Amino acid sequence: NPNGQDAKLTVLIQMPELESENRKVRDILEQCEFEVIEKSKKDFSEIQLSNLNKVLRSNFNTYRIEEQICTQCIQCLLEHTRLYKDDTNCQKFNIGLFNLNKFMRLDLAAINALMIFPKQGIKQFDSGNNA
């Protein structure tokens, strides 16, 4: 960021309908200080391959994505950013898959013990403190 401030990450999300789940998701997003943009179910529609292939370096094939929800999320992101509408974005991007077996899964107790997400009212990192 040119102002020397950290840029907020943006989350495009369809919030859960159940109020208790909705509150939990909101709490996590608030703790992470994400910019939240709520989207409706229709925003997560089937992917438009012609728009996606316009901005990708190599053609995207749906068989490479195992879950339908992945392609729906890509569609939501593509429509939100409108990357395909700007000709300077032609063949500028890549999509890759992560192998989740290479990552560690943490339960809530481990996340809290490691202080991965900041707790409200607790200053974790202070310029004069190496905590």
Side-chain angles (χ1 to χ4, degrees), residues 48-115:
Q48 301 296 318
L49 285 177
S50 60
N51 291 340
L52 182 59
N53 285 330
K54 183 176 179 181
V55 298
L56 291 181
R57 288 187 178 146
S58 60
N59 278 352
F60 179 80
N61 296 309
T62 54
Y63 68 84
R64 290 175 33 192
I65 301 287
E66 296 174 5
E67 300 291 331
Q68 182 181 13
I69 195 162
C70 293
T71 57
Q72 291 171 339
C73 291
I74 292 168
Q75 177 64 25
C76 182
L77 178 63
L78 190 63
E79 286 300 321
H80 178 76
T81 59
R82 300 290 220 207
L83 290 173
Y84 61 91
K85 298 257 183 194
D86 183 349
D87 288 337
T88 63
N89 290 323
C90 284
Q91 298 181 336
K92 205 174 190 179
F93 300 94
N94 289 316
I95 290 181
L97 298 176
F98 286 102
N99 180 352
L100 296 180
N101 293 330
K102 294 182 179 181
F103 295 89
M104 184 182 303
R105 209 174 276 248
L106 300 174
D107 63 11
L108 183 60
I111 290 170
N112 288 335
L114 294 170
M115 295 191 294

Side-chain angles (χ1 to χ4, degrees), residues 4-15:
Q5 299 173 355
D6 292 332
K8 272 190 167 185
L9 294 176
T10 302
V11 175
L12 304 175
I13 188 168
Q14 178 189 350
M15 295 302 283

